[in-house]
Amino acid sequence: MELPLLSMNNTIEPKPSNSDDVKRQQETAVGLIRSKLDTLYEQEPSASEELSEVEVVPAKQQSKHQHYMQQLSGSGRSLAEIQVAWHDYYAKLSDKEKHEVWHEFYSEHARARTTRESKKPEQSPQPEAPQPSRPHVPISNNTAASRKRSRRGKRSGGAASDIKNHVLSQVEARGKVTKNPHVRSLIFGASMGLLTVLILLFGFFNERFITPFIRPNTNVSATPIIVDPQANGPVGPEAKIIIPKINVEAPVVYDVPSISESDVQKGLERGVVHYITTPNPGEKGNAVIFGHSSSNILNKGKYKFAFIMLKSLDKDDTFIVQKDGKRYVYKIYEKFVVKPDDLSVLGPTDKTSTVTLITCDPPGTSTNRLIIRAEQIFPDPSANKESSIQQNANTQQPNQLPSNSVSMWQRITGGL
């Protein structure tokens, strides 16, 4: 059991009760109720505005809502009590009847403004002040309306008017037509059209556009690389050509079925192509190998630029051809350019065993053919056998030397 507290003069002081807490809670509850009522009052016209309406509307012309407000005004109640009674009445109305209340509210304001303007004394002509372009709800001439209905009264009737005006201003702003919309559409259309044309041109002719920027073998040696003729390291089974000076290592395709352009182009998708009417490396005669200097990047294959740096080779440079597990080393002795119909480069030379490398020149075109000729220096070519292919070389003769692959444009136009 708790004992009462003693003060310094030994008098008994009463123990603090919970009455203060209860009072604070009650005040909090009352404040919450007031805020709720304020929120509810915002949903109907202010009672003070309604009272001002019934003062000017004849009894015979009053609606039932205005008649009810007339009864409240003569009941002797305070404005707060009238506001509560008006809220209870308004809350029970149907949506249609609530609409009628608002319609009466705006109509009466409009009538009051017209009456007020007609009673103004005539003044000397003055420039008229610019009127707002958007419609707004007229304000009553009573004291509360002229002061914008401070606090709650302002937020009841005025809030609806402000919201309406705000919505109208937003609609007007969005409805404004931007200047020169056709110009913007034209610029957009022209930009998209130009982009489409550039994409098509790149797709059709990219072998010419990108060739100057693609140099897969830029580390060109300044001096010829001499291969040791006595080198007898292991050689894999892959058939390939290795050109150290321009960092080329590409497969050599020997199984192309014919010398037709289509068969050669399919073979070039897998590497560089040995021309089937010429001897094989390691045999007596002139073995011919074709390779692309450029090709459409949308075409198949990984060796579109295998021979793009072939023109960097010079006399006495060397390269290697591997076939059937053997290594053959060749040294360049001649470089020149011919027209596509010069088929003499496919024939024999004055050397015992040679390899002729052919590609298109300049890169990206099929205008000319670059010819690189090299003689076998390892192993000793005197031990090479005769080639049976060379004996039947005249059975197949092309019209011109193989070229770069056809572009998309040539495919569409049939080679034009």
Side-chain angles (χ1 to χ4, degrees), residues 227-246:
V227 178
D228 183 4
Q230 304 300 321
N232 291 316
V235 177
E238 303 88 358
K240 59 183 177 180
I241 183 171
I242 302 172
I243 309 177
K245 183 177 181 180
I246 58 175

Side-chain angles (χ1 to χ4, degrees), residues 361-414:
D361 185 75
T365 71
S366 298
T367 306
N368 299 314
R369 302 294 183 268
L370 175 65
I371 309 299
I372 300 289
R373 275 187 171 160
E375 61 178 332
Q376 180 179 327
I377 60 173
F378 178 83
D380 187 354
S382 60
N384 290 351
K385 298 180 180 180
E386 294 287 342
S387 171
S388 58
I389 296 177
Q390 185 67 23
Q391 297 174 1
N392 300 323
N394 294 329
T395 60
Q396 299 184 69
Q397 285 293 332
N399 294 325
Q400 65 175 15
L401 301 174
S403 65
N404 280 327
S405 59
V406 295
S407 65
M408 293 180 62
W409 178 256
Q410 290 174 320
R411 292 177 182 179
I412 293 174
T413 60

Side-chain angles (χ1 to χ4, degrees), residues 86-330:
W86 168 247
H87 167 71
D88 293 337
Y89 172 80
Y90 181 85
K92 295 177 182 179
L93 295 177
S94 65
D95 291 342
K96 181 178 179 181
E97 291 174 324
K98 290 178 180 179
H99 178 76
E100 292 174 355
V101 172
W102 280 106
H103 180 72
E104 293 170 0
F105 178 81
Y106 288 126
S107 298
E108 181 57 30
H109 277 243
R111 187 195 65 77
R113 179 179 179 181
T114 303
T115 302
R116 185 171 63 251
E117 290 179 352
S118 64
K119 292 181 180 181
K120 288 182 179 180
E122 294 186 0
Q123 298 177 357
S124 58
Q126 294 182 356
E128 294 184 357
Q131 298 295 326
S133 59
R134 63 171 188 253
H136 77 283
V137 179
I139 301 176
S140 175
N141 59 349
N142 57 61
T143 304
S146 64
R147 295 178 181 177
K148 303 297 184 179
R149 295 184 299 276
S150 61
R151 304 188 66 181
R152 306 303 178 209
K154 175 184 176 181
R155 294 192 302 175
S156 59
S161 176
D162 292 341
I163 292 173
K164 182 178 179 181
N165 292 336
H166 176 71
V167 172
L168 287 174
S169 64
Q170 293 294 323
V171 172
E172 290 177 359
R174 294 181 181 179
K176 292 181 179 179
V177 181
T178 56
K179 295 182 178 179
N180 299 326
H182 300 295
V183 175
R184 295 178 59 184
S185 300
L186 180 61
I187 294 175
F188 176 78
S191 300
M192 295 304 296
L194 179 60
L195 179 62
T196 302
V197 170
L198 291 177
I199 292 175
L200 290 175
L201 288 176
F202 181 79
F204 289 151
F205 306 110
N206 62 73
E207 66 271 17
R208 298 189 184 185
F209 294 156
I210 67 175
T211 295
F213 306 101
I214 294 184
R215 291 291 185 270
N217 312 300
T218 54
N219 297 327
V220 177
S221 175
T223 58
I225 297 177
I226 304 300
V227 178
D228 183 4
Q230 304 300 321
N232 291 316
V235 177
E238 303 88 358
K240 59 183 177 180
I241 183 171
I242 302 172
I243 309 177
K245 183 177 181 180
I246 58 175
N247 300 323
V248 166
E249 183 173 344
V252 180
V253 180
Y254 289 94
D255 59 355
V256 174
S258 72
I259 63 171
S260 68
E261 186 71 14
S262 60
D263 286 342
V264 173
Q265 293 299 331
K266 288 180 180 179
L268 288 171
E269 294 176 1
R270 295 181 284 141
V272 295
V273 171
H274 169 257
Y275 213 56
I276 63 170
T277 60
T278 63
N280 292 315
E283 296 179 342
K284 293 182 180 180
N286 180 32
V288 177
I289 297 176
F290 290 95
H292 276 315
S293 63
S294 68
S295 178
N296 193 296
I297 63 172
L298 301 179
N299 293 342
K300 297 179 181 179
K302 301 186 299 182
Y303 302 95
K304 303 179 181 68
F305 303 92
F307 279 176
I308 191 172
M309 295 294 290
L310 206 64
K311 62 182 179 181
S312 299
L313 298 179
D314 297 308
K315 184 178 179 180
D316 295 332
D317 289 338
T318 58
F319 60 87
I320 301 169
V321 178
Q322 294 181 183
K323 187 178 186 300
D324 299 330
K326 295 182 180 180
R327 178 187 295 111
Y328 301 96
V329 181
Y330 295 86

